[in-house]
Each structure stands twice: as structure tokens, then as C-alpha cells.
Amino acid sequence: EPEVTQTPSHQVTQMGQEVILRCVPISNHLYFYWYRQILGQKVEFLVSFYNNEISEKSEIFDDQFSVERPDGSNFTLKIRSTKLEDSAMYFCASKGEATNEKLFFGSGTQLSVL
Amino acid sequence: GQNIDQPTEMTATEGAIVQINCTYQTSGFNGLFWYQQHAGEAPTFLSYNVLDGLEEKGRFSSFLSRSKGYSYLLLKELQMKDSASYLCAVKNDYKLSFGAGTTVTVRA
């Protein structure tokens, strides 16, 4: 089965530093998403992206966050100035064109902000 | 807004059946998904309902009543490997919103 690939699997950073989390969605997918999961909590929606623009974003996705599709294959999440509370597992997901298609999730990047 | 409720934990014996209920109140509805998540891993797709009724897929079945804002996931012939968190998720036009998940523990 095709896979969503995320790198790195673990990222440790100092508070206030910028981080970029990288994702390679499934090649023919058109919809892209970032979710996060704080340890022991639920999977939370951050942002959805389609046709090179943000479709919807949550209140978590403030000015410190941005997403980009710099080329035909990568989809990135940037956190400009990390805070302790940004420590979480970040999942990228992608989906094909049909409304009823499932989201495929990557294996996640565990971000630890010290 | 989105409000998706499911029980926090359930315990069952190997070989038994467990039913995980989910109630939802959401703005917009394009379908209800169930995902399985093992600790430290990504959610993986189990089932999808968009019309009322039962969808059966091997040992797993899922039911939806849109008028009641209610779904359940039925796990039959439980195996030890089914110990995991089960996530109810509602899709609107632009996103999938997850409930907090139900942790199922299967005992021998």
C-alpha cells in the first residue's frame, strides 16, 4: 500500500528555535493535512491544504505556524519560534480526490521542545 | 463547532465482542470514520460510513444513524492485537475531526 513519509521521526529543539517538519504525501493525492497529538491527548486538526492554499485551519494554527508545498512532492510544516507546549507528535496526512476517501497518515514526527 | 464523545476505556476478554459507541454534534457532515491507533503510532483506517446502516468488514463492523448523531464500532472475536485506541472521526468539507479515542484492553 502507498505510504505517507515523514522526516525526521524525532526532533529535539530549544525553545524559541524554528523547526521544519517534512512530509512526502502519496503521489497522486491532492489534499494534505497536519495534525498533532500531545501525549495522552486526542489527535487535533491543525490545517488542511488543497490547490496550493490553506482550506481550513484551527485556532491552534496561529501566526507561528505555516505550511508550504515547495515542489511537487514535499509538504512542510514550519513552526517559527517553538514553545514548550508545541511538544507533541505531528502527523501529516493526505487524501485523494473523492469525498469519501480515507486519510492516509504518516508515522509522525515526535517534536520535543526543551 | 465539533463535539465528538466516546467512552475513555473498555476492557474485554479474548474471543469476545466489544461495541464502542460514538455520539457527535458537528457543523457539516460528510461521513464518519473509525481509525485504530496503537501507542506511539499513526492512526490507521478501519471503516467509513456516510449513509445510515451497518458496514461490515471482516471482524469489524460500523453502524451510523445520522438523525441521532450516533455511530458504533463492533469488534468481534477479539484478539490480543486488537488492544489499541479506537478513534471516532467526523469529516466535514475540509477536515477530519477526532474524538478523544477509546482505549480497548483485551485480556486473555
Side-chain angles (χ1 to χ4, degrees):
Chain A
E1 189 169 64
E3 285 185 345
V4 175
T5 305
Q6 289 186 243
T7 54
S9 56
H10 293 84
Q11 174 89 52
V12 180
T13 190
Q14 296 290 326
M15 191 170 56
Q17 294 297 303
E18 175 183 285
V19 293
I20 297 176
L21 309 184
R22 302 181 191 279
C23 171
V24 178
I26 293 170
S27 62
N28 61 343
H29 282 184
L30 301 175
Y31 295 84
F32 313 116
Y33 308 83
W34 283 101
Y35 285 82
R36 80 170 187 191
Q37 188 173 31
I38 295 170
L39 185 64
Q41 297 187 25
K42 72 175 186 178
V43 177
E44 296 177 291
F45 169 77
L46 292 178
V47 66
S48 57
F49 191 87
Y50 171 73
N51 200 25
N52 283 319
E53 59 183 29
I54 290 173
S55 307
E56 186 168 346
K57 59 184 180 180
S58 72
E59 57 193 28
I60 302 168
F61 194 90
D62 62 21
D63 292 343
Q64 294 301 311
F65 290 84
S66 62
V67 289
E68 193 178 33
R69 189 152 162 83
D71 52 42
S73 60
N74 291 283
F75 180 52
T76 61
L77 174 70
K78 182 193 291 186
I79 309 175
R80 264 180 269 282
S81 178
T82 49
K83 303 188 281 282
L84 296 176
E85 54 264 38
D86 293 328
S87 295
M89 179 75 93
Y90 288 80
F91 292 109
C92 173
S94 70
K95 186 183 84 64
E97 180 131 28
T99 303
N100 63 349
E101 282 201 47
K102 62 188 178 185
L103 270 63
F104 288 80
F105 284 83
S107 54
T109 294
Q110 179 65 57
L111 177 65
S112 298
V113 182
L114 306 179
Chain B
Q2 315 285 340
N3 193 25
I4 302 169
D5 290 317
Q6 50 182 132
T8 306
E9 293 180 335
M10 301 182 78
T11 301
T13 306
E14 199 173 12
I17 297 173
V18 70
Q19 177 174 315
I20 306 169
N21 296 322
C22 172
T23 57
Y24 63 90
Q25 292 172 306
T26 59
S27 53
F29 182 85
N30 279 342
L32 190 138
F33 290 77
W34 285 94
Y35 277 78
Q36 181 190 61
Q37 187 181 30
H38 286 99
E41 298 182 9
T44 55
F45 170 79
L46 288 178
S47 71
Y48 169 72
N49 296 71
V50 67
L51 299 176
D52 290 355
L54 188 67
E55 293 283 339
E56 296 190 80
K57 211 175 179 183
R59 294 189 299 114
F60 296 165
S61 304
S62 57
F63 172 83
L64 176 67
S65 168
R66 288 171 296 169
S67 62
K68 294 181 180 174
Y70 168 69
S71 174
Y72 67 73
L73 179 70
L74 198 67
L75 285 63
K76 293 176 267 191
E77 299 169 20
L78 280 172
Q79 302 174 10
M80 299 299 287
K81 67 178 182 179
D82 297 329
S83 291
S85 186
Y86 291 85
L87 314 180
C88 175
V90 175
K91 189 174 179 305
N92 71 6
D93 284 342
Y94 300 114
K95 69 184 182 197
L96 195 61
S97 298
F98 286 88
T102 299
T103 300
V104 172
T105 302
V106 181
R107 293 193 297 208

mmCIF file of all heavy atoms in Angstrom, chain A residues 22-43:
data_model
loop_
_atom_site.group_PDB
_atom_site.id
_atom_site.type_symbol
_atom_site.label_atom_id
_atom_site.label_comp_id
_atom_site.label_asym_id
_atom_site.label_seq_id
_atom_site.Cartn_x
_atom_site.Cartn_y
_atom_site.Cartn_z
ATOM 1 N N ARG A 22 8.879 17.721 7.771
ATOM 2 C CA ARG A 22 8.727 17.420 6.346
ATOM 3 C C ARG A 22 7.858 16.192 6.110
ATOM 4 O O ARG A 22 7.873 15.244 6.890
ATOM 5 C CB ARG A 22 10.100 17.212 5.706
ATOM 6 C CG ARG A 22 10.997 18.414 5.875
ATOM 7 C CD ARG A 22 12.351 18.254 5.236
ATOM 8 N NE ARG A 22 13.240 19.338 5.666
ATOM 9 C CZ ARG A 22 13.238 20.554 5.143
ATOM 10 N NH1 ARG A 22 12.420 20.851 4.155
ATOM 11 N NH2 ARG A 22 14.066 21.474 5.592
ATOM 12 N N CYS A 23 7.153 16.228 5.015
ATOM 13 C CA CYS A 23 6.222 15.161 4.657
ATOM 14 C C CYS A 23 6.254 14.971 3.149
ATOM 15 O O CYS A 23 6.321 15.947 2.398
ATOM 16 C CB CYS A 23 4.816 15.551 5.122
ATOM 17 S SG CYS A 23 3.482 14.488 4.557
ATOM 18 N N VAL A 24 6.222 13.713 2.733
ATOM 19 C CA VAL A 24 6.013 13.405 1.320
ATOM 20 C C VAL A 24 4.687 12.672 1.231
ATOM 21 O O VAL A 24 4.587 11.501 1.616
ATOM 22 C CB VAL A 24 7.144 12.544 0.740
ATOM 23 C CG1 VAL A 24 6.858 12.216 -0.726
ATOM 24 C CG2 VAL A 24 8.480 13.264 0.874
ATOM 25 N N PRO A 25 3.632 13.348 0.765
ATOM 26 C CA PRO A 25 2.325 12.685 0.652
ATOM 27 C C PRO A 25 2.337 11.620 -0.442
ATOM 28 O O PRO A 25 3.285 11.525 -1.231
ATOM 29 C CB PRO A 25 1.388 13.846 0.270
ATOM 30 C CG PRO A 25 2.133 15.084 0.621
ATOM 31 C CD PRO A 25 3.576 14.759 0.436
ATOM 32 N N ILE A 26 1.290 10.847 -0.512
ATOM 33 C CA ILE A 26 1.127 9.857 -1.571
ATOM 34 C C ILE A 26 1.007 10.597 -2.901
ATOM 35 O O ILE A 26 0.315 11.620 -2.995
ATOM 36 C CB ILE A 26 -0.086 8.961 -1.272
ATOM 37 C CG1 ILE A 26 0.229 8.129 -0.029
ATOM 38 C CG2 ILE A 26 -0.420 8.069 -2.465
ATOM 39 C CD1 ILE A 26 -0.951 7.359 0.528
ATOM 40 N N SER A 27 1.650 10.064 -3.928
ATOM 41 C CA SER A 27 1.966 10.855 -5.120
ATOM 42 C C SER A 27 0.756 11.402 -5.869
ATOM 43 O O SER A 27 0.805 12.493 -6.392
ATOM 44 C CB SER A 27 2.837 10.050 -6.075
ATOM 45 O OG SER A 27 2.131 8.909 -6.509
ATOM 46 N N ASN A 28 -0.351 10.705 -5.933
ATOM 47 C CA ASN A 28 -1.485 11.229 -6.698
ATOM 48 C C ASN A 28 -2.536 11.885 -5.811
ATOM 49 O O ASN A 28 -3.641 12.188 -6.265
ATOM 50 C CB ASN A 28 -2.119 10.110 -7.531
ATOM 51 C CG ASN A 28 -2.651 8.984 -6.670
ATOM 52 O OD1 ASN A 28 -2.283 8.867 -5.499
ATOM 53 N ND2 ASN A 28 -3.502 8.155 -7.236
ATOM 54 N N HIS A 29 -2.202 12.113 -4.558
ATOM 55 C CA HIS A 29 -3.145 12.757 -3.645
ATOM 56 C C HIS A 29 -3.132 14.270 -3.825
ATOM 57 O O HIS A 29 -2.119 14.859 -4.229
ATOM 58 C CB HIS A 29 -2.828 12.378 -2.189
ATOM 59 C CG HIS A 29 -3.309 11.023 -1.833
ATOM 60 N ND1 HIS A 29 -3.202 10.513 -0.563
ATOM 61 C CD2 HIS A 29 -3.915 10.056 -2.572
ATOM 62 C CE1 HIS A 29 -3.725 9.293 -0.537
ATOM 63 N NE2 HIS A 29 -4.154 9.004 -1.740
ATOM 64 N N LEU A 30 -4.288 14.881 -3.512
ATOM 65 C CA LEU A 30 -4.455 16.305 -3.751
ATOM 66 C C LEU A 30 -4.720 17.102 -2.473
ATOM 67 O O LEU A 30 -4.594 18.325 -2.483
ATOM 68 C CB LEU A 30 -5.619 16.540 -4.718
ATOM 69 C CG LEU A 30 -5.489 15.866 -6.085
ATOM 70 C CD1 LEU A 30 -6.760 16.089 -6.901
ATOM 71 C CD2 LEU A 30 -4.274 16.409 -6.841
ATOM 72 N N TYR A 31 -5.136 16.404 -1.412
ATOM 73 C CA TYR A 31 -5.469 17.087 -0.162
ATOM 74 C C TYR A 31 -4.426 16.700 0.882
ATOM 75 O O TYR A 31 -4.119 15.521 1.044
ATOM 76 C CB TYR A 31 -6.859 16.654 0.329
ATOM 77 C CG TYR A 31 -7.985 17.059 -0.594
ATOM 78 C CD1 TYR A 31 -8.316 16.279 -1.702
ATOM 79 C CD2 TYR A 31 -8.731 18.209 -0.353
ATOM 80 C CE1 TYR A 31 -9.345 16.643 -2.553
ATOM 81 C CE2 TYR A 31 -9.770 18.579 -1.193
ATOM 82 C CZ TYR A 31 -10.074 17.794 -2.288
ATOM 83 O OH TYR A 31 -11.095 18.163 -3.123
ATOM 84 N N PHE A 32 -3.957 17.700 1.618
ATOM 85 C CA PHE A 32 -2.888 17.467 2.580
ATOM 86 C C PHE A 32 -3.262 18.087 3.919
ATOM 87 O O PHE A 32 -3.950 19.124 3.961
ATOM 88 C CB PHE A 32 -1.571 18.071 2.067
ATOM 89 C CG PHE A 32 -1.285 17.724 0.636
ATOM 90 C CD1 PHE A 32 -1.233 18.712 -0.335
ATOM 91 C CD2 PHE A 32 -1.088 16.412 0.250
ATOM 92 C CE1 PHE A 32 -0.992 18.387 -1.662
ATOM 93 C CE2 PHE A 32 -0.852 16.082 -1.076
ATOM 94 C CZ PHE A 32 -0.804 17.075 -2.031
ATOM 95 N N TYR A 33 -2.806 17.444 4.980
ATOM 96 C CA TYR A 33 -3.210 17.839 6.325
ATOM 97 C C TYR A 33 -2.036 17.718 7.291
ATOM 98 O O TYR A 33 -1.166 16.882 7.116
ATOM 99 C CB TYR A 33 -4.322 16.912 6.853
ATOM 100 C CG TYR A 33 -5.508 16.758 5.935
ATOM 101 C CD1 TYR A 33 -5.477 15.844 4.878
ATOM 102 C CD2 TYR A 33 -6.665 17.511 6.128
ATOM 103 C CE1 TYR A 33 -6.564 15.695 4.026
ATOM 104 C CE2 TYR A 33 -7.757 17.363 5.284
ATOM 105 C CZ TYR A 33 -7.700 16.454 4.241
ATOM 106 O OH TYR A 33 -8.785 16.302 3.409
ATOM 107 N N TRP A 34 -2.086 18.549 8.335
ATOM 108 C CA TRP A 34 -1.238 18.353 9.501
ATOM 109 C C TRP A 34 -2.132 18.237 10.730
ATOM 110 O O TRP A 34 -3.087 19.017 10.891
ATOM 111 C CB TRP A 34 -0.262 19.505 9.695
ATOM 112 C CG TRP A 34 0.910 19.460 8.769
ATOM 113 C CD1 TRP A 34 1.091 20.183 7.627
ATOM 114 C CD2 TRP A 34 2.074 18.644 8.893
ATOM 115 N NE1 TRP A 34 2.282 19.867 7.032
ATOM 116 C CE2 TRP A 34 2.909 18.933 7.790
ATOM 117 C CE3 TRP A 34 2.517 17.696 9.834
ATOM 118 C CZ2 TRP A 34 4.142 18.299 7.597
ATOM 119 C CZ3 TRP A 34 3.731 17.082 9.644
ATOM 120 C CH2 TRP A 34 4.545 17.386 8.540
ATOM 121 N N TYR A 35 -1.803 17.249 11.557
ATOM 122 C CA TYR A 35 -2.453 17.035 12.846
ATOM 123 C C TYR A 35 -1.363 16.967 13.898
ATOM 124 O O TYR A 35 -0.199 16.685 13.595
ATOM 125 C CB TYR A 35 -3.226 15.712 12.852
ATOM 126 C CG TYR A 35 -4.527 15.735 12.092
ATOM 127 C CD1 TYR A 35 -4.548 15.568 10.704
ATOM 128 C CD2 TYR A 35 -5.739 15.911 12.751
ATOM 129 C CE1 TYR A 35 -5.752 15.589 10.005
ATOM 130 C CE2 TYR A 35 -6.946 15.928 12.061
ATOM 131 C CZ TYR A 35 -6.939 15.770 10.688
ATOM 132 O OH TYR A 35 -8.127 15.785 10.000
ATOM 133 N N ARG A 36 -1.735 17.205 15.149
ATOM 134 C CA ARG A 36 -0.794 16.961 16.226
ATOM 135 C C ARG A 36 -1.488 16.190 17.345
ATOM 136 O O ARG A 36 -2.731 16.217 17.480
ATOM 137 C CB ARG A 36 -0.212 18.265 16.758
ATOM 138 C CG ARG A 36 -1.106 19.007 17.714
ATOM 139 C CD ARG A 36 -0.414 20.155 18.385
ATOM 140 N NE ARG A 36 -1.275 20.737 19.407
ATOM 141 C CZ ARG A 36 -1.038 21.867 20.025
ATOM 142 N NH1 ARG A 36 0.060 22.566 19.748
ATOM 143 N NH2 ARG A 36 -1.867 22.314 20.935
ATOM 144 N N GLN A 37 -0.673 15.500 18.134
ATOM 145 C CA GLN A 37 -1.197 14.741 19.275
ATOM 146 C C GLN A 37 -0.234 14.910 20.438
ATOM 147 O O GLN A 37 0.873 14.368 20.411
ATOM 148 C CB GLN A 37 -1.381 13.262 18.920
ATOM 149 C CG GLN A 37 -2.087 12.457 19.993
ATOM 150 C CD GLN A 37 -2.395 11.042 19.540
ATOM 151 O OE1 GLN A 37 -1.666 10.446 18.743
ATOM 152 N NE2 GLN A 37 -3.496 10.477 20.034
ATOM 153 N N ILE A 38 -0.677 15.658 21.424
ATOM 154 C CA ILE A 38 0.080 15.784 22.662
ATOM 155 C C ILE A 38 -0.071 14.467 23.413
ATOM 156 O O ILE A 38 -1.145 13.842 23.376
ATOM 157 C CB ILE A 38 -0.423 16.976 23.486
ATOM 158 C CG1 ILE A 38 -0.134 18.278 22.718
ATOM 159 C CG2 ILE A 38 0.203 17.009 24.869
ATOM 160 C CD1 ILE A 38 -0.788 19.502 23.292
ATOM 161 N N LEU A 39 0.982 14.037 24.077
ATOM 162 C CA LEU A 39 0.991 12.741 24.753
ATOM 163 C C LEU A 39 -0.236 12.562 25.643
ATOM 164 O O LEU A 39 -0.526 13.392 26.507
ATOM 165 C CB LEU A 39 2.274 12.617 25.577
ATOM 166 C CG LEU A 39 2.503 11.271 26.246
ATOM 167 C CD1 LEU A 39 2.678 10.172 25.195
ATOM 168 C CD2 LEU A 39 3.722 11.312 27.162
ATOM 169 N N GLY A 40 -0.972 11.475 25.389
ATOM 170 C CA GLY A 40 -2.134 11.156 26.208
ATOM 171 C C GLY A 40 -3.396 11.893 25.830
ATOM 172 O O GLY A 40 -4.437 11.711 26.463
ATOM 173 N N GLN A 41 -3.312 12.730 24.775
ATOM 174 C CA GLN A 41 -4.474 13.505 24.370
ATOM 175 C C GLN A 41 -4.944 13.100 22.972
ATOM 176 O O GLN A 41 -4.381 12.202 22.355
ATOM 177 C CB GLN A 41 -4.144 14.996 24.447
ATOM 178 C CG GLN A 41 -3.810 15.471 25.853
ATOM 179 C CD GLN A 41 -3.648 16.965 25.943
ATOM 180 O OE1 GLN A 41 -4.191 17.716 25.129
ATOM 181 N NE2 GLN A 41 -2.908 17.417 26.945
ATOM 182 N N LYS A 42 -5.972 13.777 22.504
ATOM 183 C CA LYS A 42 -6.548 13.375 21.224
ATOM 184 C C LYS A 42 -5.776 13.927 20.036
ATOM 185 O O LYS A 42 -4.974 14.847 20.178
ATOM 186 C CB LYS A 42 -8.012 13.795 21.157
ATOM 187 C CG LYS A 42 -8.244 15.281 21.002
ATOM 188 C CD LYS A 42 -9.739 15.529 20.835
ATOM 189 C CE LYS A 42 -10.040 16.976 20.531
ATOM 190 N NZ LYS A 42 -11.491 17.192 20.324
ATOM 191 N N VAL A 43 -6.045 13.356 18.890
ATOM 192 C CA VAL A 43 -5.473 13.835 17.640
ATOM 193 C C VAL A 43 -6.197 15.130 17.261
ATOM 194 O O VAL A 43 -7.420 15.137 17.099
ATOM 195 C CB VAL A 43 -5.636 12.778 16.528
ATOM 196 C CG1 VAL A 43 -5.103 13.308 15.201
ATOM 197 C CG2 VAL A 43 -4.910 11.487 16.909
#
